[in-house]
Amino acid sequence: MAPRALAFDTFGTVVDWRSSIIRELEEFGSDLGVHRDWAGIADDWRAGYPPAMDRVRRGELPWTNIDGLHRMILVELLEAAGIEGVDDAAVDHLNRAWHRLDPWPDAVEGLTRLKARYLITTLSNGNVSLLTNMAKRAGLPWDCVISAELFRHYKPDPEAYLGCAELLDVAPGELMLVAAHASDLRGAKRAGLMTAYVDRPLEYGAGRRRPSKIEDGEFDVMAADFVDLADQLGA
Amino acid sequence: MAPRALAFDTFGTVVDWRSSIIRELEEFGSDLGVHRDWAGIADDWRAGYPPAMDRVRRGELPWTNIDGLHRMILVELLEAAGIEGVDDAAVDHLNRAWHRLDPWPDAVEGLTRLKARYLITTLSNGNVSLLTNMAKRAGLPWDCVISAELFRHYKPDPEAYLGCAELLDVAPGELMLVAAHASDLRGAKRAGLMTAYVDRPLEYGAGRRRPSKIEDGEFDVMAADFVDLADQLGA
């Protein structure tokens, strides 16, 4: 059965967060005249995000969107790196680096083809303003922008997947999540969605591919990139 | 001061609901082989919507989105018109006529120009699926789709305007509501938004223009259509 709509994870699936964040950190360092292991800081910034969401999930933090979580992590990382006295506006600008991530080379072409046949939306833990600014800058042709922020539940909580289907007025089984991460796809599958895995071998950097533990037949579609996904979905 | 983002009312402002609904009712009647005053029914359908939102506002109905309210009104109108025995799928299809409204002739051109300079979003009482389906069919190039449904407060409740600004991460005073209706613009103004009135003299049909009671200087911009709005906003 064909899906009626496709919902896309974004960080790592649509956009190459790591190269983009390293680029932004290098610019930040260049403006300040400081040198650090920017790739390491980018990795740490990203690594800080699942535990931060867990704090929200456990109620240790009130609802805080990703811009808020990213900023908390960033302030700690700057302190740990001995970078002090940066004014708030500069920290805010750096924090919004996550609004300025570059798409993978196949993303816009694949999405444009998929849009001609399917309704395409984001379904990201990124907040609405982040996703909207990202799409505008990168030319991502979403039909709408749906975020975990709207449900105050981060993926892989079922509320995020089911809330997306409800807003689109489709049954969970008519909605397909597209993601490069098995944990996200498993959350979607548990909530009754269809699933498409897209391989992003460079997400964590060249030669730093994480081992895949996906079982044969676990997801409905296995795609090499968005152009391959469009081919497989007849778009 | 220039706005950072523009939020658009849709029914009557972006799309010509009346001609589109009359066309859909005529098709419905033609399929059934029944003749009625379809223009009158279109007007009654639209007129039923503010009182239905008021029932939600007063708590007489639990939160019900516009598809739900439209369907309640439609069922009553069909009964009053003596149209009986229509199957649920046909009523659902007719109800989703509100997802298939045609844009005013200047809408796509004006929005495309405005999008090049500003972030543009819907801010409509229509639900997310309605707005998304409408945009996809009509080619409306929104950066994102924001609906009163996300706040469970219909305009002109302040929660809708303030919620839109919050999701976009802009101050209320940096957001401009664009609408053809003074009551909506007044609600936005009370919430601290900038305002742009767009004239839609044909909204209620040719020769059925409602008297305007707008005071001089009441709104920040007065525009003849979206192309004029783009001219005035330097887009």
Side-chain angles (χ1 to χ4, degrees), chain A:
Chain A
M1 186 176 150
R4 289 181 58 197
L6 307 176
F8 289 76
D9 173 60
T10 55
F11 302 129
T13 299
V14 179
V15 293
D16 174 8
W17 59 265
R18 189 171 188 271
S19 299
S20 307
I21 293 295
I22 293 171
R23 178 198 72 222
E24 293 268 353
L25 284 164
E26 286 171 347
E27 286 173 17
F28 169 80
S30 172
D31 289 346
L32 281 182
V34 300
H35 299 273
R36 293 294 185 282
D37 171 18
W38 301 121
I41 292 177
D43 288 334
D44 289 344
W45 202 357
R46 181 65 177 166
Y49 142 91
M53 288 191 294
D54 279 339
R55 291 182 62 197
V56 172
R57 219 174 254 121
R58 288 193 303 260
E60 292 171 25
L61 282 177
W63 173 259
T64 307
N65 73 15
I66 290 293
D67 277 347
L69 297 179
H70 276 150
R71 201 177 193 291
M72 290 168 50
I73 302 161
L74 175 59
V75 167
E76 288 175 13
L77 290 173
L78 293 178
E79 196 177 303
I83 300 172
E84 289 172 358
V86 183
D87 69 45
D88 272 357
V91 177
D92 284 338
H93 177 76
L94 177 57
N95 194 52
R96 283 194 302 272
W98 296 91
H99 297 217
R100 298 186 294 268
L101 305 180
D102 294 325
W104 294 111
D106 54 279
V108 172
E109 179 189 346
L111 289 175
T112 302
R113 283 178 54 190
L114 289 160
K115 183 178 182 172
R117 174 148 180 188
Y118 300 98
L119 192 157
I120 60 169
T121 183
T122 56
L123 178 58
S124 168
N125 285 335
N127 38 283
V128 170
S129 66
L130 181 158
L131 296 170
T132 302
N133 292 336
M134 174 196 287
K136 198 166 180 69
R137 177 180 175 281
L140 305 172
W142 306 120
D143 287 309
C144 62
V145 172
I146 294 180
S147 160
E149 179 180 34
L150 302 178
F151 316 113
R152 301 202 160 205
H153 277 280
Y154 285 118
K155 296 185 296 178
D157 291 359
E159 288 85 350
Y161 308 104
L162 297 174
C164 180
E166 188 179 359
L167 281 183
L168 296 178
D169 196 24
V170 299
E174 296 172 327
L175 180 61
M176 177 177 276
L177 184 79
V178 181
H181 312 114
S183 59
D184 193 2
L185 292 164
R186 286 177 189 137
K189 191 176 177 180
R190 281 193 299 272
L193 274 66
M194 301 178 76
T195 50
Y197 174 83
V198 176
D199 197 26
R200 294 299 188 193
L202 299 176
E203 176 175 2
Y204 298 98
R208 301 177 72 223
R209 187 186 178 89
R210 298 193 174 181
S212 168
K213 294 168 187 164
I214 297 172
E215 294 181 29
D216 283 352
E218 188 174 0
F219 303 125
D220 299 303
V221 175
M222 299 288 289
D225 59 26
F226 283 7
V227 171
D228 181 35
L229 182 67
D231 287 341
Q232 292 193 48
L233 294 179

Side-chain angles (χ1 to χ4, degrees), chain B residues 41-110:
Chain B
I41 291 176
D43 289 334
D44 290 345
W45 202 356
R46 180 65 177 166
Y49 144 91
M53 289 191 295
D54 279 340
R55 290 182 63 196
V56 172
R57 220 173 254 122
R58 288 193 303 261
E60 292 171 24
L61 282 177
W63 173 259
T64 307
N65 73 15
I66 289 292
D67 278 347
L69 297 180
H70 276 151
R71 202 178 191 291
M72 290 169 50
I73 302 162
L74 175 59
V75 167
E76 288 175 13
L77 290 174
L78 293 177
E79 194 178 304
I83 301 171
E84 289 173 355
V86 183
D87 68 46
D88 271 358
V91 176
D92 283 340
H93 177 77
L94 177 57
N95 195 52
R96 283 193 302 273
W98 295 90
H99 298 216
R100 298 186 294 269
L101 305 180
D102 295 324
W104 294 111
D106 54 279
V108 172
E109 179 189 347

Side-chain angles (χ1 to χ4, degrees), chain B residues 124-220:
Chain B
S124 168
N125 285 334
N127 39 283
V128 169
S129 66
L130 181 159
L131 296 170
T132 302
N133 292 335
M134 175 197 287
K136 199 167 178 68
R137 176 181 176 279
L140 305 172
W142 305 120
D143 287 309
C144 62
V145 172
I146 295 180
S147 160
E149 180 179 33
L150 301 178
F151 316 112
R152 300 203 161 204
H153 276 279
Y154 285 118
K155 295 185 296 178
D157 291 359
E159 288 85 350
Y161 307 104
L162 297 174
C164 181
E166 188 179 359
L167 282 182
L168 297 177
D169 195 23
V170 299
E174 296 173 327
L175 179 60
M176 177 178 276
L177 184 78
V178 181
H181 312 113
S183 59
D184 194 2
L185 292 165
R186 287 177 188 137
K189 191 175 175 180
R190 280 192 299 272
L193 275 66
M194 301 177 75
T195 51
Y197 174 84
V198 175
D199 198 26
R200 293 300 188 194
L202 299 176
E203 176 175 2
Y204 298 98
R208 301 177 73 223
R209 187 186 178 88
R210 298 194 174 181
S212 168
K213 293 167 189 166
I214 298 172
E215 293 180 29
D216 283 352
E218 188 173 1
F219 304 125
D220 298 303

